[in-house]
């Protein structure tokens, strides 16, 4: 059975080179075809060349099988993170974000397991930095109220962990997750639409698409800088006075800069 759209030249070549030698070799010998040479009648040069070709094909098949295995293993490791960051919501999204933060060097605690909904989703620690991370998803444009969840948890944190002060925080959002990733805005909140709101935010707001790009490129300094709000000392040498002052000012902004219904 041959499909109508088959290339007849290709079919004839396959019959002559593969089918007849394997199934009807006598037919090729009768017409003295070059495809019917008996191995016992080969010259040493022909035998050597054929053996080399067989060895090359064997190595190719072995290498192809190994590379296919490597690809499958890499894909199995990447798929949960890729799917979680680009399309996930809830627990799936939180787990994917935690994987990226851990790969970037943070020690991550999943707070929902320990504290339930009283706190933010993740606690990310790096050296002397302790960051409260809120992870959210929005099928459409991200509403401004998402930031209020993190602000509320920042206010409650001293009651939950008085011996573990927070030095930074970040809101991570998988926005427009029903769209193809290439069609989504890079920023969660577009400055031309939310300028005053964005300017008043006391913490960074990161899109999971950005996080995915950094994770895929293994750009861990970019992840640390984005979450901490500034380069980590390990990337710039010993911390400067300016960096230390900036950290102190940012902690104060958590309490005093927030505007709106949840201001303190």
């Amino acid at each position: 059975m041959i499909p109508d759209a088959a290339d007849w030249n290709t079919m004839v070549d396959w019959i002559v080179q593969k089918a007849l030698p394997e199934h009807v070799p006598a037919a090729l010998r009768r017409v003295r075809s070059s495809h019917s040479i008996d191995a016992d009648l080969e010259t040493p040069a022909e035998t050597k060349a054929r053996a080399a070709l067989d060895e090359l094909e064997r190595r190719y098949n072995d290498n192809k099988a190994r590379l296919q295995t490597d690809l499958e293993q890499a894909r199995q490791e990447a798929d949960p993170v890729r799917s979680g960051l680009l399309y996930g919501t809830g627990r799936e999204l939180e787990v994917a974000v935690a994987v990226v933060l851990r790969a970037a060097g943070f020690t991550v605690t999943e707070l929902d397991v320990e504290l339930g909904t009283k706190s933010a989703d993740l606690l990310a620690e790096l050296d002397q930095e302790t960051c409260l991370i809120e992870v959210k998803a929005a099928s459409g444009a991200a509403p401004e109220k998402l930031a209020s969840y993190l602000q509320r948890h920042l206010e409650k944190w001293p009651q939950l962990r008085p011996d573990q002060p927070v030095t930074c925080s970040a809101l991570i959002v998988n926005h427009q997750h029903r769209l193809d990733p290439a069609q989504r805005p890079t920023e969660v909140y577009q400055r031309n639409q939310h300028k005053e709101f964005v300017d008043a935010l006391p913490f960074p707001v990161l899109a999971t698409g950005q996080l995915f790009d950094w994770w895929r490129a293994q750009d861990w300094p970019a992840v640390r800088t984005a979450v901490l709000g500034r380069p980590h000392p390990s990337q710039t040498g010993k911390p400067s006075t300016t960096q230390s002052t900036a950290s102190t000012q940012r902690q104060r902004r958590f309490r005093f800069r927030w505007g709106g219904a949840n201001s303190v």
Side-chain angles (χ1 to χ4, degrees):
M1 300 293 293
I2 301 174
D4 290 339
D7 182 347
W8 285 101
N9 291 327
T10 301
M11 294 303 302
V12 170
D13 287 342
W14 176 81
I15 291 172
V16 172
Q17 298 178 23
K18 299 291 184 180
L20 289 178
E22 181 175 350
H23 300 290
V24 197
L28 292 177
R29 284 197 294 270
R30 285 196 295 269
V31 297
R32 298 183 181 180
S33 169
S34 60
H35 298 287
S36 68
I37 298 298
D38 191 330
D40 294 336
L41 304 178
E42 288 180 339
T43 65
E46 289 174 310
T47 301
K48 181 179 179 181
R50 182 172 55 79
L53 188 60
D54 291 343
E55 176 62 18
L56 177 63
E57 186 172 1
R58 184 193 65 77
R59 289 200 307 270
Y60 168 79
N61 290 330
D62 289 346
N63 289 337
K64 183 178 180 180
R66 175 178 56 80
L67 293 174
Q68 285 177 328
T69 300
D70 292 345
L71 175 59
E72 183 61 27
Q73 180 178 352
R75 187 162 287 160
Q76 288 177 356
E77 294 174 357
D79 272 346
V81 181
R82 177 170 43 239
S83 177
L85 291 178
L86 298 181
Y87 306 102
T89 62
R91 173 69 177 166
E92 180 189 10
L93 178 58
E94 293 172 16
V95 169
V97 170
V99 169
V100 175
L101 295 179
R102 289 189 180 104
F106 289 90
T107 299
V108 180
T109 302
E110 298 180 17
L111 295 175
D112 285 348
V113 177
E114 295 188 8
L115 303 175
T117 58
K118 296 178 181 179
S119 181
D121 300 300
L122 304 172
L123 187 70
E125 299 174 84
L126 182 64
D127 297 334
Q128 304 303 315
E129 301 283 0
T130 301
C131 297
L132 210 56
I133 309 295
E134 187 79 21
V135 182
K136 293 295 182 183
S139 59
E144 294 181 358
K145 70 177 182 179
L146 293 183
S148 67
Y149 293 103
L150 177 55
Q151 179 61 23
R152 187 162 58 249
H153 290 143
L154 283 168
E155 295 167 4
K156 289 183 178 179
W157 183 255
Q159 304 169 22
L160 300 174
R161 296 277 181 87
D163 58 339
Q164 192 176 22
V166 166
T167 60
C168 59
S169 61
L171 172 62
I172 299 177
V173 183
N174 183 17
H175 68 305
Q176 301 279 11
H177 59 72
R178 291 181 180 174
L179 294 178
D180 184 272
Q183 297 176 332
R184 303 175 194 175
T186 303
E187 302 292 337
V188 175
Y189 297 115
Q190 301 299 298
R191 183 168 291 275
N192 59 346
Q193 300 175 8
H194 306 269
K195 185 179 186 306
E196 293 183 0
F197 172 74
V198 172
D199 290 342
L201 285 172
F203 41 73
V205 179
L206 310 176
T208 55
Q210 295 173 310
L211 212 60
F212 170 74
D213 288 338
W214 293 326
W215 167 78
R216 181 175 56 167
Q218 298 187 350
D219 190 351
W220 310 130
V223 175
R224 293 191 289 267
T225 298
V227 172
L228 298 176
R230 68 187 187 286
H232 187 258
S234 64
Q235 300 159 214
T236 59
K238 59 182 181 181
S240 65
T241 304
T242 302
Q243 292 174 333
S244 178
T245 302
S247 176
T248 302
Q249 290 175 345
R250 189 172 65 255
Q251 293 178 49
R252 290 174 180 168
R253 288 204 305 273
F254 290 155
R255 296 185 178 181
F256 302 115
R257 272 196 61 189
W258 183 260
N262 294 294
S263 60
V264 292

